[in-house]
Amino acid sequence: MAPRICLLILSLYLFAGISSQSDEYDATIRTMEEFSGYPIHEPVLRDSSSSSLSVDTETLQRQIDELSTFSDTPAPSVTRILYSEKDVQARGFVKNLMSISGLSVREDAVGNIFGRWVGSEPGLPPVSTGSHIDAIPYSGKYDGVVGVLGAIEAINVLKRSGFKPKRSLEVVMFTSEEPTRFGISCLGSRLLAGSKELGQLLKRTVDGQNISFSDAAKFAGYTNNEDFSSVVLEKGTYSAFVELHIEQGPILEEEAISIGVVTAIAAPASIKVDFEGNGGHAGAVLMPKRNDAGLAAAELALAVEKHVLESGSIDTVGTVGILELHPGAINSIPSKAHLEIDARDIDERRRNLVIDKIHQSALSISKARNVELSEFKIVNQDPPALSEESITKATESACQELNMPYKKMISRAYHDSLFMARICPMGMIFIPCYKGYSHKPEEFAAPQDIANGVRVLALTFSKLSVS
Amino acid sequence: MAPRICLLILSLYLFAGISSQSDEYDATIRTMEEFSGYPIHEPVLRDSSSSSLSVDTETLQRQIDELSTFSDTPAPSVTRILYSEKDVQARGFVKNLMSISGLSVREDAVGNIFGRWVGSEPGLPPVSTGSHIDAIPYSGKYDGVVGVLGAIEAINVLKRSGFKPKRSLEVVMFTSEEPTRFGISCLGSRLLAGSKELGQLLKRTVDGQNISFSDAAKFAGYTNNEDFSSVVLEKGTYSAFVELHIEQGPILEEEAISIGVVTAIAAPASIKVDFEGNGGHAGAVLMPKRNDAGLAAAELALAVEKHVLESGSIDTVGTVGILELHPGAINSIPSKAHLEIDARDIDERRRNLVIDKIHQSALSISKARNVELSEFKIVNQDPPALSEESITKATESACQELNMPYKKMISRAYHDSLFMARICPMGMIFIPCYKGYSHKPEEFAAPQDIANGVRVLALTFSKLSVS
C-alpha cells in the first residue's frame, strides 16, 4: 500500500502548502475534505430493494444507555478503563448480547471478543466488523460503542430480513482501543495484527498505580497472558474488515450528510516525557537556585502547540493531554513533571518532523533550565492506513441503495481499523455526531443517525459476505 | 508592629534595589542575611554554666525515625496528610511521648495538641513552644517534627537538670501547618490565633476527593467541629512562644553556624486558579477550533515565574506546585486546568504587586485563548511577622552561654509562629539542614545539630519561664 499512501499524501501536502499561505487558521473554510476534492453524493430518489433492512432503534438505544451505566464516573460522563470492574461487567453485557443474537462467542488471551454468524461456506475467510467499548475518563457513551452494539444489531437486521451469509460474519469487540491505562492505544487490534514487540513490551508494562499488565489482566479473568502469540491473526484470516463509528468531527453534522465513507486514517503518534529537577521548599529556595521541572513541562506544552502551528497545515494537530507534577503540593517546587503528547497528521513525514522539533525543544528546555530530561519516549508512531477500494465501493453502493447522502472523508482519529488494515482489506463507515464532540460527556449521536449507520453496515456486510 | 515592619522592609527593599542592578541572579553571593547586615556571632570559649543541659540525642533520633514510619509513601519519603489514618497514628505517638514526659495533655476541637508542665506559679501566662508533624506528599522527616519532638526533649532536658519552672511550660503540636488537604496553611495556629473567617470557611471546605472538612475531622476523632470558637486563644494566654525548626535553607550549613535566631517571617500568599475550555478529541478537533485549558495553565505558570523575576528582588519567590488537567488522557484536549500558586516576599507590598500581575496575566490568557477563567481565588495573603526582641535576646543569651555560634536571619518559609505572633510575643530558633533541602525525601538534619537546637530551646525556655 505504501506507494499509494505516498501519492495521496504528497498531493494533499502540496495542496495544503499552497492553501496555508493565505488563511492558515480558518478551519471552517478549508477542511481536509475540501483539500481532497471529494464530492458529496446526494441520494437519488428511487424504490430501494433494501427497504426491508429495518433497525430496532429503540432497543439499540436502550442497550447503548445501559452499557453507559458501567462507568467509574457519574452520568452523563462515562469512564471505563481496561480490566477494571466496570470493564469486566461491560464485557459480560456485550457477550450476552452476542449470544442472544445467536452468535458463537470466543475470547482471546488479551480479551478481544469475537461473535460469529457461521455462513453457508464456513471454509471461506469471514467478513468482520467491530470496534471498542473502553472509554477514557469523563468521556461519552457513543465512541466505539456504536460500532460494537451497532454491529450486533446489523446482524439482527440481516437475520430479520431473511439474509443468509455465504462467508461467515464476525463481530469483534477489541480490547483497549484507548491508551488510558497502559499508554498503548489499540492494544487488542495491534496485538491481533501481529505486533511482536508489543507482546514483549506488555511483560514489563505497569499502569500508573504500578500494577503490572499481567496482574490487571488476571483481575479481569484473562489468566493466560504470558504469551500473546495465540492472539495474532494471520493475513487472510478475514476477507474484509469494516468499522462503524461516530465521526468525532463536525463535518457530517454541519453538512447534513448521513454517512461518511472513510478513505484513510490519519497517522497518530504518542510520546511520553519526563523532566526531573531538585524540587525543594517553595519559600526557602530562591529563584536562581531553582530547576523547576513543572516550568520545563509548561514550556514544552507551549512548544508542542508552536511546532504544530508552524507546520503550515491545518491537518497537523498536537495535544498535551497529560501533565502531572510531583510531589504536587502548593508549597513544593515540582521535582518531577510527566507529560504525554499526542501528535497526528495525514502526512506521516510532516508529523514526524513535528515530533523531531518537540524533541529538540525538550532538549533545549532541559539545558536552559538545568532540568534533566529523564525520558523522551516515542511510545508509538504509526503509519496511516488507506481503506480498500472494494470496501468503500460496497459502502457507497449500500448508501445509494438506501438513498442516503454520503461523502468520502478522512478519519483524523485513529481506530482499530488502522491495525486491521495490516491483515485484511479495511473500510470505515462514519455517522454524524453532535458538534463533532467526542471524548467528553456531551458526545451524542442521534438514534436515527445510528440507525442509518447500522443499515449501511448491514448492507455493506451482506455485499461483502457474498463476494 | 506595623511601623517596625515597614521600616525594616523599606531598608531591605532599598538595599535589594541597588544590589540587583549588577548581579540579579547570584544568590550564593547576595543572601537576605547579607542584605540585613547582621553579624555572625562566634562563640566565646568559656566555662558554661549550662553544661548540665544534656540531650538524649539517640532516643530523640529514634523517635524522629519512628514517627517517620507513619507515612502513606515508602521511606525515605514521608507523606502524612491531615486527618488521615497515618496522621491519627502519629498524633497518638506524640500524645504518648508527652504523657511519658509527665506533661498534662489536652486537645482542642481542631486537633491542636497541648502538653503542659505546670510551673510554680500556675496563674501566670505560660511560655509555649511547638510546631507541626504533618508532611506534604513525598517530603522528609524533620520539617516541623524537630520542633515537636525536640520540644518534648527540651522539657526532659530541663527536668533532668533539676530546673523548676515558674511559669508553666507548654508544648503545642499544631494541626495541619501544611495546606495539602484543604488548601489552608497553618490551619491549627490560624484558628487558635482567632481567625473568625476561617471558622466559617471550614464549614464549606472540601478536599480534592470532595470529602468535607467536618467529615475528615470526624474520621480522625474530632467530632465537635461545627463551631471552632473554643479553639481561639485570647491575647495574653501565653507570655511567649518560641518555635524550633530546621532552616529549610542552606545558609547555616554553608556558614557552619549552629543556630539561626529568626528576626522576621516572610509573608506568604496562596492562590487557586481554574481555567475551563471545551476539551474534545485530540485527533478530531483542529488547532484553530481549540480552547485548551491546559495550555492556558502552562502559560500562566510561566507568567508567574516572569512576574516574580521582574520584581527586581532576590527575595520574591513564586511557585506553581499544583497543575492538574482534566480529564487527563493523552488523546483528550484538557477541558479544565487547576493551578495552585504560592507567592512570598519579605515585602508585603511587592508580593501583592506580583499577585496583581499574575491576576492580569490570568485574565489576558483567558481572553487570548478563549478559555474561561472560572476561578482566581486568593486563599490567603498573610502579612509578615516580626520576632519580639525579648525572645531573640533570650535565645542569643542561651547561644552565648552554650558557646554556640549563631546568626540572626529571616525565615523565608512560613511557620505556625507567623500566627502565634498575633496573640503573643514570638521567636524562632533555626538549626542547619543538609543543603537547605526541605519538602523532599533528602531533607536531613544531623543529630548533633538537632541536639544543639534542643539545648538552645531548653535554655531559652527556662529563661522565659522565670522572667
Side-chain angles (χ1 to χ4, degrees):
Chain A
M1 260 192 280
R4 289 178 56 197
I5 293 174
C6 290
L7 263 176
L8 171 69
I9 286 169
L10 186 64
S11 60
L12 295 172
Y13 188 61
L14 288 172
F15 195 96
I18 296 160
S19 302
S20 64
Q21 302 293 318
S22 58
D23 191 10
E24 191 166 333
Y25 296 119
D26 194 347
T28 58
I29 296 173
R30 300 183 316 97
T31 63
M32 183 54 228
E33 286 59 37
E34 281 161 311
F35 292 165
S36 73
Y38 288 135
I40 297 166
H41 296 270
E42 295 295 343
V44 180
L45 289 175
R46 59 181 171 181
D47 184 27
S48 169
S49 61
S50 314
S51 57
S52 62
L53 297 178
S54 73
V55 174
D56 184 349
T57 309
E58 203 176 303
T59 301
L60 178 54
Q61 186 60 50
R62 202 166 52 238
Q63 290 167 353
I64 292 170
D65 293 342
E66 192 172 343
L67 184 55
S68 76
T69 64
F70 302 118
S71 167
D72 284 321
T73 53
S77 78
V78 181
T79 301
R80 196 156 50 235
I81 310 297
L82 175 64
Y83 298 151
S84 66
E85 198 182 329
K86 301 295 180 186
D87 182 44
V88 172
Q89 290 168 353
R91 286 163 177 273
F93 180 83
V94 168
K95 285 184 277 189
N96 187 43
L97 287 184
M98 284 179 169
S99 298
I100 290 170
S101 296
L103 305 181
S104 60
V105 180
R106 78 171 179 96
E107 276 184 276
D108 68 15
V110 78
N112 291 315
I113 297 170
F114 306 82
R116 182 173 294 197
W117 180 11
V118 179
S120 62
E121 295 191 25
L124 290 176
V127 182
S128 60
T129 183
S131 194
H132 65 100
I133 61 159
D134 63 321
I136 70 166
Y138 299 96
S139 61
K141 61 183 172 185
Y142 298 93
D143 176 6
V145 168
V146 162
V148 177
L149 304 190
I152 297 170
E153 176 59 13
I155 297 281
N156 296 338
V157 164
L158 290 175
K159 287 192 168 186
R160 284 195 293 266
S161 77
F163 176 77
K164 301 288 178 202
K166 188 173 92 179
R167 294 177 186 274
S168 298
L169 298 181
E170 188 147 292
V171 178
V172 189
M173 191 223 81
F174 295 101
T175 279
S176 192
E177 192 255 3
E178 306 290 4
T180 317
R181 184 161 186 182
F182 292 98
I184 302 159
S185 60
C186 300
L187 181 55
S189 53
R190 206 182 275 267
L191 269 175
L192 195 145
S195 172
K196 291 237 165 27
E197 320 82 69
L198 179 56
Q200 290 304 310
L201 178 68
L202 287 177
K203 290 182 183 170
R204 51 179 200 276
T205 294
V206 296
D207 68 7
Q209 309 300 310
N210 218 29
I211 298 169
S212 70
F213 181 83
S214 172
D215 283 349
K218 273 180 197 144
F219 172 83
Y222 303 101
T223 51
N224 175 25
N225 54 37
E226 292 305 315
D227 176 13
F228 293 105
S229 56
S230 64
V231 172
V232 178
L233 297 183
E234 296 301 318
K235 273 192 186 182
T237 300
Y238 294 121
S239 68
F241 176 82
V242 57
E243 180 173 4
L244 173 64
H245 208 283
I246 59 169
E247 182 198 340
Q248 302 183 293
I251 296 160
L252 293 175
E253 187 192 49
E254 281 172 10
E255 301 183 7
I257 297 167
S258 304
I259 298 292
V261 179
V262 173
T263 56
I265 303 175
S270 57
I271 309 165
K272 289 187 178 183
V273 183
D274 287 300
F275 287 113
E276 291 187 28
N278 289 332
H281 189 289
V285 183
L286 300 180
M287 300 304 281
K289 290 219 166 185
R290 295 184 177 199
N291 54 356
D292 186 324
L295 293 178
E299 266 195 57
L300 187 61
L302 293 168
V304 168
E305 183 190 43
K306 177 171 169 278
H307 297 319
V308 164
L309 293 176
E310 280 171 357
S311 94
S313 166
I314 193 74
D315 297 306
T316 318
V317 291
T319 309
V320 176
I322 294 175
L323 197 168
E324 292 165 347
L325 303 184
H326 176 92
I330 184 172
N331 51 1
S332 202
I333 301 161
S335 59
K336 294 181 195 170
H338 173 76
L339 300 100
E340 298 193 17
I341 303 166
D342 178 298
R344 307 183 193 202
D345 207 316
I346 52 164
D347 180 337
E348 189 177 8
R349 195 192 59 77
R350 193 169 58 203
R351 182 206 63 193
N352 291 351
L353 191 66
V354 168
I355 292 173
D356 284 347
K357 285 185 176 181
I358 294 171
H359 191 198
Q360 288 307 314
S361 286
L363 290 168
S364 61
I365 291 165
S366 154
K367 198 173 170 193
R369 290 194 171 271
N370 190 26
V371 164
E372 189 193 350
L373 178 63
S374 51
E375 177 156 82
F376 188 94
K377 184 179 172 188
I378 298 172
V379 180
N380 55 275
Q381 195 169 13
D382 298 309
L386 281 192
S387 298
E388 187 77 14
E389 203 179 352
S390 59
I391 301 180
T392 54
K393 286 268 183 242
T395 305
E396 286 185 84
S397 298
C399 290
Q400 285 155 5
E401 289 175 36
L402 292 166
N403 264 338
M404 279 183 209
Y406 70 93
K407 75 180 291 184
K408 289 182 178 176
M409 61 197 306
I410 278 161
S411 171
R412 294 178 188 284
Y414 60 76
H415 301 282
D416 292 303
S417 293
L418 189 67
F419 296 93
M420 292 306 283
R422 295 182 180 178
I423 57 165
C424 67
M426 174 277 290
M428 287 194 78
I429 300 166
F430 275 178
I431 59 166
C433 60
Y434 174 63
K435 287 191 179 180
Y437 286 167
S438 190
H439 282 194
K440 55 183 190 172
E442 295 84 353
E443 185 181 87
F444 173 75
Q448 189 51 50
D449 287 327
I450 297 174
N452 287 342
V454 170
R455 292 181 81 202
V456 172
L457 174 64
L459 194 50
T460 304
F461 225 28
S462 71
K463 287 175 189 292
L464 295 171
S465 160
V466 296
S467 68
Chain B
M1 262 193 279
R4 290 177 58 197
I5 294 175
C6 289
L7 263 177
L8 172 68
I9 285 170
L10 186 64
S11 61
L12 295 171
Y13 188 60
L14 289 172
F15 196 95
I18 296 161
S19 301
S20 65
Q21 303 293 318
S22 58
D23 191 10
E24 192 167 333
Y25 296 119
D26 193 348
T28 58
I29 295 173
R30 301 182 316 98
T31 64
M32 182 53 226
E33 286 58 38
E34 282 161 312
F35 292 165
S36 73
Y38 288 136
I40 297 165
H41 296 269
E42 294 296 341
V44 182
L45 289 175
R46 57 180 173 181
D47 184 26
S48 168
S49 60
S50 312
S51 57
S52 62
L53 297 178
S54 73
V55 174
D56 184 349
T57 309
E58 204 175 304
T59 301
L60 179 54
Q61 186 60 50
R62 203 164 52 239
Q63 290 166 352
I64 292 170
D65 292 341
E66 193 172 342
L67 184 55
S68 75
T69 64
F70 301 118
S71 167
D72 284 320
T73 53
S77 77
V78 181
T79 301
R80 198 158 47 236
I81 310 298
L82 175 64
Y83 298 150
S84 66
E85 196 182 331
K86 301 295 180 187
D87 182 44
V88 172
Q89 291 169 351
R91 287 164 176 273
F93 180 82
V94 169
K95 285 185 276 189
N96 187 42
L97 287 184
M98 284 179 169
S99 299
I100 290 169
S101 295
L103 305 181
S104 60
V105 180
R106 79 171 180 95
E107 276 185 276
D108 68 16
V110 78
N112 291 315
I113 297 170
F114 306 82
R116 183 174 293 197
W117 180 11
V118 180
S120 61
E121 295 191 24
L124 291 176
V127 183
S128 61
T129 183
S131 194
H132 65 100
I133 61 159
D134 64 321
I136 68 165
Y138 299 96
S139 60
K141 62 184 173 186
Y142 297 93
D143 176 7
V145 167
V146 162
V148 177
L149 303 190
I152 298 171
E153 177 58 14
I155 298 282
N156 296 338
V157 165
L158 290 174
K159 287 194 167 185
R160 282 195 295 266
S161 75
F163 176 78
K164 301 288 178 201
K166 188 172 93 179
R167 295 177 186 275
S168 298
L169 298 181
E170 187 146 292
V171 179
V172 189
M173 190 223 81
F174 295 101
T175 278
S176 192
E177 191 255 3
E178 306 289 2
T180 316
R181 184 161 185 183
F182 292 99
I184 302 159
S185 60
C186 298
L187 181 56
S189 53
R190 205 183 276 266
L191 270 175
L192 195 145
S195 171
K196 292 237 166 26
E197 320 81 70
L198 179 56
Q200 290 305 311
L201 178 68
L202 287 177
K203 289 182 184 172
R204 52 178 198 276
T205 295
V206 296
D207 69 6
Q209 308 301 309
N210 219 28
I211 297 169
S212 71
F213 181 82
S214 172
D215 284 349
K218 274 180 197 144
F219 172 84
Y222 303 102
T223 51
N224 175 25
N225 54 37
E226 293 305 316
D227 176 14
F228 293 106
S229 57
S230 64
V231 172
V232 177
L233 297 182
E234 296 301 318
K235 273 192 188 184
T237 300
Y238 294 122
S239 69
F241 176 81
V242 57
E243 179 173 5
L244 173 65
H245 209 282
I246 59 169
E247 182 199 339
Q248 302 182 291
I251 296 159
L252 293 176
E253 187 192 49
E254 279 172 11
E255 300 183 9
I257 297 167
S258 303
I259 297 292
V261 180
V262 173
T263 57
I265 303 175
S270 57
I271 309 165
K272 289 187 179 183
V273 183
D274 287 299
F275 287 114
E276 292 188 28
N278 289 332
H281 190 289
V285 183
L286 300 181
M287 299 305 281
K289 290 221 166 183
R290 295 185 177 199
N291 55 355
D292 185 324
L295 293 178
E299 265 196 57
L300 187 61
L302 293 168
V304 168
E305 184 190 42
K306 176 170 169 278
H307 297 318
V308 164
L309 293 177
E310 279 172 358
S311 96
S313 166
I314 192 75
D315 296 307
T316 319
V317 291
T319 308
V320 175
I322 293 175
L323 197 169
E324 292 165 347
L325 303 184
H326 176 92
I330 184 172
N331 49 2
S332 203
I333 300 162
S335 59
K336 295 181 193 169
H338 173 76
L339 300 99
E340 298 193 17
I341 303 166
D342 178 298
R344 307 183 192 201
D345 206 317
I346 53 167
D347 180 337
E348 190 177 5
R349 193 192 58 79
R350 193 168 56 203
R351 183 206 60 191
N352 291 350
L353 191 65
V354 168
I355 292 173
D356 284 347
K357 285 185 176 182
I358 293 171
H359 191 198
Q360 289 308 314
S361 285
L363 289 168
S364 61
I365 290 165
S366 154
K367 197 173 171 193
R369 290 193 172 271
N370 190 26
V371 164
E372 188 194 351
L373 178 63
S374 51
E375 178 156 84
F376 188 93
K377 183 178 172 188
I378 298 172
V379 180
N380 57 276
Q381 195 169 15
D382 299 309
L386 281 191
S387 298
E388 187 75 15
E389 201 178 355
S390 60
I391 301 180
T392 55
K393 285 269 184 240
T395 306
E396 287 185 84
S397 298
C399 290
Q400 285 156 5
E401 288 174 37
L402 291 166
N403 264 337
M404 279 184 210
Y406 70 92
K407 75 180 291 183
K408 289 183 176 173
M409 60 198 306
I410 277 162
S411 172
R412 295 179 186 283
Y414 61 76
H415 302 281
D416 292 304
S417 292
L418 188 68
F419 296 93
M420 292 307 284
R422 295 181 179 180
I423 57 165
C424 67
M426 175 278 291
M428 287 194 78
I429 300 167
F430 275 178
I431 59 167
C433 60
Y434 173 63
K435 287 190 178 179
Y437 285 169
S438 190
H439 282 193
K440 55 183 191 172
E442 295 83 352
E443 185 181 270
F444 173 76
Q448 189 50 51
D449 287 326
I450 297 173
N452 287 342
V454 170
R455 291 182 79 203
V456 172
L457 174 64
L459 194 50
T460 304
F461 226 27
S462 71
K463 288 173 188 294
L464 295 171
S465 159
V466 297
S467 68

